[in-house]
Amino acid sequence: MTERTIPTNPSPLWLAYTALCRIGAICTVELQKLRHDRTELITRAVQPTLWLLVFGQVFTQIRAIPTGSTPYLDFLAPGILAQSALFIAIFYGIQIIWERDSGMLAKLMVTPTPRVALVAAKAFAAGIRAVVQAIAVMIVAAILGVHLDTAPARLVGTVIALILGSAFFCCLSITIAGLVLSRDRLMGIGQAITMPLFFASNALYPVQLMPGWLQVINRINPLSYEVDALRGLLVNTPAALGFDFLVLVLASAAMISVAAALLPRLTVG
Amino acid sequence: MSAMPAVRCTGLSRRFGDTLAVDNLDLEIVQGEIFGLLGPNGAGKTTTIRMITTLLPPPRGTIEVFGADVAARRMAVRRLIGYVPQQLSVEATLTGRENVWLFAKLYDVPRLTRVRRVNEVLAGVGLAEVADRLAKTYSGGMIRRLELAQALVSTPRLLVLDEPTVGLDPVARDDVWERIEQIRADSGMTVLVTTHLMQEADERCDRVALMHRGRIQALGTPAQLRGNLGDGATLDDVFRAYTGDELADTGSIRDVRSARRTARRLS
Ligand SMILES: Nc1ncnc2c1ncn2[C@@H]1O[C@H](COP(=O)(O)OP(=O)(O)O)[C@@H](O)[C@H]1O
Ligand SMILES: [Mg+2]
C-alpha cells in the first residue's frame, strides 16, 4: 500500500480545494437522493401552493396590503419561495442530529474532511434542495398567474440568493443543534423560530406597513434580504440587490464558521 | 519488517461525568493482525475506538497510528483509517453504489480509478449484483457489508470495526467475519475490532484484549488466555476469572438502549 503525503498544517489553498471537492460530493449525493425520492418534492410543494392560493388570493381580493403597482400575488410569490427554502434549511439541522444518532456523522467526521468543509457542504446541499424545490414553487406561481421575470441572469441571481439564504439558515439550525444537542429540544426550538423569522420579515407585507419595532427586527433578519433580492430579481420591484447579496454572503460565511466550531460538540457529547 | 506498531496508546484516559470510561490504557496493535477488543457493554471499547479514530480528543495520554500522533496529525491519520461505527449507518435513500461512491470522493480516491475501485470493493463484499438497489431494501447483514465496502474504498491501512456483528443473525455474523478475514488475507490490512461476544473473538482474532471498566485486564492470543486456566476453559471463563463479573449484567441503561435501537433498525 502506498503512503500518501499529507500536509501537517493544511494551507488555506488546500483547505479551499478540499472544501470545494467535499461540497461537490455532498451536493451530488443530495441530488441523487432527490432523484430516488421525488414524492418529497411534491409533498413539500403543497404548503407553498396553499399559501399562494389561499393567502395570495384572499389578500388580493380584499386589497388589505397595498403593494403599489405590483399585484399582491406577484409581491407574495418571492416571499413564499424564501419561506419554502427556510423550512428546508431549518430541517437540515434536525437531520444532522439524526445523523449523529445513526452514526453517519461519525463516519463523515472520520474522513479527511475539515469541519468547516463538512458544514459548508451540508449548507450548500440544503441550498441545492431549496433550489430544486423553488423550481416547483415557481411553476405553481406561474400557473397562478404570477408574472415572473425569467431572464437568465435573473435566474442565476435567484439561485445564488436561495443558496446563500439556505446556507445561513441551515447553519443556524446546525448551530442550535450544537448547543442543545438533543433532537426533541431542537425540534421545539426549530418550530419556535421559523414562524417568527417568517412573520418578522418582508415576505408577506412591505416594510413600510410594519410598526417600528418590527422594522428593526426586519433589518437584522437575513430572510428579509433574501426576499428583497428574490423580489427584485423575479418581479422587478425596487431592491438594493448589491447590499442584499453582501449581507447574505457575510451572514452565511459567519454562520458556517460558527456551526463548524460547534460541530464537534455533537460527536463528543 | 517494521517494528512500528499499527496503533500505540499510552496512558489513555477519558472521563464522562463521574464515569471513567477509559482508565489509563496502554495498548499496542501489531501491523497485519486482527486485534479484538473484548468486553461487556460499557467496558469502554467504543470510547477507545472513538479516540483512536480522531472523533474524541483524548484528554490524557497519547495515541499513534502508524507512528503518526493522532492529536497532532489528525488529517493524516484519518487517511490511514477505515471506520465502521457500532450503529448501522448508511444513506437509506441512496443505492449501495452511491453510498460507496460518496466515500470514494470523501477520501479523494483519484478520478481515474474511482469507478473501478468502487466496483472492486462492492464485489469484494458480495454486493455487486444488488449495488444499484436502494440501501433501504438491504438486510442488516447486507448493510454491514456495504459499510465494509465504504470503509475499504480508500484502501486504508487500519480497518476499525466497532461491534460489526451486533444485532446480526448467526449466518450474517459468520459472513461478515469471513469477509474481514478475506480482506486481511488479501491486503495484509491491520484490523481492530470490538465485540462483546467472546466466542467469535476466540475463533477469529489473532490477539485479544479483555477490557473491563475502562482497563485492560488480560491480553494475548485466545489460546494463551484460555491456556492459563487449563483444559476446556472458554474466553468467557477467562473473563470471569479476571473480573469476577458476569458478562451479561454490566453496562448502563444507555448501552442497552443503543443496542436496542440498533436491533430495531435492523429488523
Ligand atoms: N457520550 C457519553 N456521555 C456519557 N457517558 C458516556 C458517553 N459515552 C460513553 N459513556 C459511558 O462510558 C462508559 C463506556 O462506554 P463505551 O465506551 O460506549 O463502552 P462499550 O463500547 O464497551 O460498550 C459507559 O459507562 C458509558 O455509559
Ligand atoms: Mg460500544
Side-chain angles (χ1 to χ4, degrees):
Chain A
M1 265 163 284
T2 50
E3 271 283 9
R4 277 151 296 196
T5 49
I6 309 100
T8 309
N9 291 309
S11 67
L13 208 64
W14 180 85
L15 198 69
Y17 176 74
T18 310
L20 281 181
C21 291
R22 301 303 189 259
I23 291 169
I26 292 185
C27 287
T28 309
V29 160
E30 206 54 40
L31 288 173
Q32 289 169 338
K33 281 192 214 164
L34 267 176
R35 197 158 54 85
H36 295 307
D37 189 12
R38 294 195 198 132
T39 49
E40 192 182 319
L41 209 60
I42 311 272
T43 45
R44 276 184 182 272
V46 170
Q47 208 184 9
T49 306
L50 286 177
W51 272 95
L52 286 174
L53 216 60
V54 180
F55 202 84
Q57 305 284 7
V58 168
F59 278 75
T60 303
Q61 294 295 317
I62 63 174
R63 299 174 192 281
I65 301 175
T67 49
S69 56
T70 319
Y72 183 67
L73 202 59
D74 289 16
F75 178 89
L76 179 66
I80 298 302
L81 222 55
Q83 181 208 43
S84 105
L86 168 71
F87 286 176
I88 290 174
I90 293 285
F91 177 74
Y92 263 72
I94 297 167
Q95 183 177 302
I96 214 152
I97 294 226
W98 196 88
E99 289 187 358
R100 190 265 317 259
D101 294 341
S102 78
M104 195 62 200
L105 185 60
K107 268 161 76 165
L108 293 176
M109 288 178 77
V110 171
T111 66
T113 303
R115 301 293 173 252
V116 77
L118 194 59
V119 170
K122 288 278 176 200
F124 285 105
I128 290 283
R129 200 172 267 256
V131 167
V132 175
Q133 194 63 60
I135 297 171
V137 178
M138 280 167 74
I139 291 173
V140 171
I143 293 172
L144 293 179
V146 175
H147 311 88
L148 294 172
D149 193 334
T150 52
R154 289 174 180 272
L155 288 183
V156 171
T158 299
V159 166
I160 296 174
L162 281 170
I163 289 183
L164 290 173
S166 306
F168 175 85
F169 290 111
C170 169
C171 290
L172 175 67
S173 175
I174 294 178
T175 299
I176 299 172
L179 290 173
V180 304
L181 299 176
S182 99
R183 193 179 346 184
D184 298 341
R185 266 177 288 175
L186 181 59
M187 294 271 248
I189 295 176
Q191 273 161 6
I193 64 167
T194 37
M195 274 309 173
L197 274 170
F198 176 59
F199 285 114
S201 78
N202 54 0
L204 295 178
Y205 19 77
V207 187
Q208 299 82 333
L209 291 189
M210 297 179 184
W213 61 271
L214 197 54
Q215 288 197 17
V216 174
I217 298 177
N218 176 64
R219 279 236 152 253
I220 52 172
N221 184 354
L223 189 67
S224 296
Y225 296 88
E226 186 182 345
V227 173
D228 192 61
L230 291 176
R231 204 169 268 152
L233 288 163
L234 290 172
V235 295
N236 272 316
T237 52
L241 283 181
F243 187 63
D244 290 339
F245 278 101
L246 182 70
V247 170
L248 287 173
V249 167
L250 293 180
S252 51
M255 212 65 228
I256 288 174
S257 320
V258 174
L262 284 173
L263 189 65
R265 268 176 60 91
L266 278 173
T267 47
V268 168
Chain B
M1 263 312 287
S2 68
M4 182 207 287
V7 178
R8 176 190 282 140
C9 304
T10 15
L12 202 59
S13 296
R14 175 80 207 198
R15 177 183 283 287
F16 290 107
D18 290 336
T19 330
L20 198 50
V22 175
D23 182 6
N24 200 18
L25 182 106
D26 295 322
L27 183 67
E28 265 194 34
I29 298 172
V30 178
Q31 288 196 28
E33 73 178 340
I34 297 183
F35 186 92
L37 196 54
L38 271 60
N41 283 333
K45 306 182 296 294
T46 297
T47 306
T48 307
I49 294 265
R50 295 210 298 151
M51 289 193 282
I52 293 173
T53 53
T54 77
L55 278 173
L56 272 184
R60 241 165 21 84
T62 58
I63 309 171
E64 284 172 18
V65 174
F66 294 99
D69 185 74
V70 168
R73 307 196 57 212
R74 251 187 323 201
M75 283 297 162
V77 167
R78 286 183 190 146
R79 283 186 196 267
L80 301 172
I81 293 180
Y83 170 58
V84 178
Q86 190 166 339
Q87 306 100 309
L88 291 177
S89 48
V90 292
E91 293 283 1
T93 51
L94 291 180
T95 66
R97 189 188 309 285
E98 287 163 347
N99 266 292
V100 178
W101 180 88
L102 171 63
F103 279 77
K105 285 284 288 180
L106 294 180
Y107 279 97
D108 301 307
V109 174
R111 180 206 294 271
L112 281 177
T113 50
R114 202 179 297 143
V115 172
R116 203 190 64 216
R117 185 71 196 136
V118 169
N119 286 334
E120 243 169 45
V121 288
L122 279 166
V125 298
L127 291 177
E129 261 91 82
V130 294
D132 293 311
R133 263 168 49 186
L134 292 187
K136 65 177 164 206
T137 68
Y138 286 14
S139 69
M142 287 160 83
I143 291 180
R144 256 308 182 237
R145 285 187 276 138
L146 180 57
E147 291 198 270
L148 269 180
Q150 289 179 308
L152 290 169
V153 73
S154 61
T155 331
R157 294 180 67 188
L158 173 67
L159 182 60
V160 181
L161 311 167
D162 197 357
E163 307 251 11
T165 59
V166 77
L168 300 189
D169 64 60
V171 178
R173 218 181 270 166
D174 279 341
D175 189 33
V176 165
W177 273 112
E178 270 150 34
R179 306 282 168 186
I180 296 170
E181 289 180 330
Q182 190 63 46
I183 291 157
R184 201 272 303 266
D186 292 346
S187 63
M189 203 175 282
T190 311
V191 181
L192 165 59
V193 53
T194 74
T195 176
H196 63 276
L197 301 173
M198 299 286 156
Q199 168 87 34
E200 62 178 29
D202 194 348
E203 288 168 17
R204 312 284 184 169
C205 295
D206 300 319
R207 285 197 310 145
V208 296
L210 300 190
M211 198 168 178
H212 184 56
R213 302 210 171 126
R215 289 167 172 270
I216 288 180
Q217 308 287 346
L219 185 126
T221 66
Q224 276 169 353
L225 295 183
R226 278 187 275 103
N228 293 342
L229 277 198
D231 277 353
T234 65
L235 275 189
D236 276 305
D237 301 330
V238 178
F239 187 83
R240 230 178 335 253
Y242 275 100
T243 63
D245 240 338
E246 290 297 327
L247 267 181
D249 293 341
T250 42
S252 62
I253 304 275
R254 199 173 167 275
D255 305 307
V256 175
R257 230 193 284 129
S258 95
R260 272 209 211 111
R261 210 179 317 132
T262 307
R264 219 176 318 124
R265 275 152 38 78
L266 273 165
S267 55

